[in-house]
Amino acid sequence: MKRSGILNPALAAGIARLGHGHLVAIVDCGTPLPRDARVVDLALVAGVPSLTAVLDAVLAEIVVEGSIAAAESGGTPVGGWFADRGLAPDLIPHDRFKDLLADAALVIRTGEATPWANIALRCGVPF
């Protein structure tokens, strides 16, 4: 058994496949998922797991060089969640955010039920 880090096999495998420039999107339970996207669905019930719990676990595993969120999240508690983690996402309209999910290397669906609780992380490299 793994000693630490992400234990979910599908999520651990999806993260292991990420490379420089890839997008990994962490989304709420209401986000429409692209038909052909690589999705790891962690949603159990409304609120579980939370976006922040999943975001913290993913941030501990990957190098992030940038992020993107819906402009509508600015000025909401969700924007504070990102700032608390040192993220300053580029803000785009929510409809454009949903469109970029089709290009994501990995989409992680959480049980989060807070409006605008979605973020895409652009992978960097550790060197």
Side-chain angles (χ1 to χ4, degrees), residues 29-127:
C29 62
T31 300
L33 302 172
R35 187 174 315 234
D36 296 325
R38 176 181 295 259
V39 175
V40 175
D41 191 345
L42 302 178
L44 180 61
V45 296
V48 179
S50 69
L51 180 118
T52 55
V54 174
L55 179 58
D56 289 342
V58 171
L59 288 173
E61 299 273 335
I62 67 171
V63 175
V64 175
E65 68 177 20
S67 58
I68 304 165
E72 293 84 348
S73 68
T76 71
V78 173
W81 298 349
F82 303 150
D84 290 347
R85 287 155 179 82
L87 299 170
D90 294 331
L91 299 176
I92 61 174
H94 185 62
D95 285 338
R96 278 193 48 217
F97 183 89
K98 291 188 293 188
D99 290 342
L100 75 78
L101 296 178
D103 296 324
L106 178 62
V107 178
I108 306 165
R109 182 174 174 250
T110 70
E112 187 61 58
T114 302
W116 319 117
N118 306 291
I119 190 164
L121 307 171
R122 184 165 311 281
C123 295
V125 292
F127 51 85

